[in-house]
Amino acid sequence: KKAYVFHVFSSNQPYRTLTLFYPSKSSSKGRKTVSPELLISLLDKVKSYSLLAAQHPEKVEGVLHETPKKELDYSSYKIVVQDVYRFEESDTLIFRLSLENKTSQSITYNPQNVSIGLKENLYSTSIVDASGDIPPNSVVTAYFGITGTANGGRNNLSPKNDWNIILMPDGQQHLAPQPSQDDKKI
């Protein structure tokens, strides 16, 4: 019951975006309860996304999908954010990551301790499909999801954000990622 006026014009270099979110009526905090069963079904949808999009596009209608290919390069391993999927109704984002071990030693980590970072905010995972092991000189796929905020509210996060993945190998000190060649300034 509010009126808004927006002046919109086309530009080759837009500098603002606007997203309007309508609060859910089923929860006093603006978020429906997301069950483990629903999270598992969302993960299954992510794993079969390309097939569903090609053969049953109505099954992935409303799912926002980005392929950032962002690389986080550490001394002994590399993380590549391959895909990010957003499910609006459940306020959930699921990340498909490639984890590359650059050493001849196995790297282990606790998948439950992986966090997703965005600027100064950290989000704990709501669903994980990862083994916790990266074999020597190999690449494995892992899935991590975040739902809502820590205090039970909606996160309303876009899959287009500049995400960071915080993964701490067992017995190793976590170091800042090395800048990629594209990030180095002369």
Side-chain angles (χ1 to χ4, degrees), residues 132-166:
D133 183 53
I134 311 170
N137 300 308
S138 65
V139 178
V140 296
T141 300
Y143 296 88
F144 298 91
I146 58 174
T147 302
T149 63
N151 64 0
R154 289 185 58 84
N155 63 38
N156 293 324
L157 296 170
S158 169
K160 293 181 181 182
N161 283 310
D162 186 23
W163 300 102
N164 287 305
I165 310 301
I166 294 81

Side-chain angles (χ1 to χ4, degrees), residues 19-185:
T19 306
L20 299 175
F21 294 99
Y22 299 96
S24 171
K25 295 177 183 172
S26 65
S27 171
S28 62
K29 292 191 177 191
R31 183 173 67 129
K32 290 182 180 180
T33 301
V34 178
S35 68
E37 294 82 10
L38 177 59
L39 290 172
I40 291 169
S41 75
L42 296 178
L43 182 60
D44 289 341
K45 193 176 278 191
V46 162
K47 289 181 177 181
S48 58
Y49 183 84
S50 59
L51 180 66
L52 289 172
Q55 296 183 5
H56 301 284
E58 72 279 0
K59 298 285 186 189
V60 292
E61 189 173 312
V63 177
L64 300 177
H65 175 227
E66 292 295 323
T67 54
K69 306 294 186 212
K70 179 179 180 179
E71 293 187 9
L72 301 162
D73 201 3
Y74 298 87
S75 59
S76 60
Y77 63 98
K78 179 168 63 172
I79 301 171
V80 179
V81 181
Q82 297 289 351
D83 296 283
V84 183
Y85 302 85
R86 172 156 178 85
F87 297 88
E88 178 63 31
E89 191 171 322
S90 62
D91 196 34
T92 298
L93 290 104
I94 296 182
F95 298 78
R96 183 175 71 90
L97 309 176
S98 293
L99 309 176
E100 178 184 350
N101 183 345
K102 301 189 290 186
T103 71
S104 59
Q105 304 278 330
S106 184
I107 295 176
T108 59
Y109 65 96
N110 183 342
Q112 301 301 322
N113 289 340
V114 172
S115 297
I116 311 294
L118 179 61
K119 297 182 182 176
E120 67 278 351
N121 298 316
L122 278 181
Y123 298 90
S124 298
T125 56
S126 57
I127 188 165
V128 173
D129 185 4
S131 68
D133 183 53
I134 311 170
N137 300 308
S138 65
V139 178
V140 296
T141 300
Y143 296 88
F144 298 91
I146 58 174
T147 302
T149 63
N151 64 0
R154 289 185 58 84
N155 63 38
N156 293 324
L157 296 170
S158 169
K160 293 181 181 182
N161 283 310
D162 186 23
W163 300 102
N164 287 305
I165 310 301
I166 294 81
L167 180 148
M168 180 86 72
D170 295 341
Q172 291 185 13
Q173 183 177 353
H174 186 69
L175 302 172
Q178 304 300 314
S180 69
Q181 293 293 5
D182 296 338
D183 295 339
K184 292 181 180 175
K185 306 285 185 208

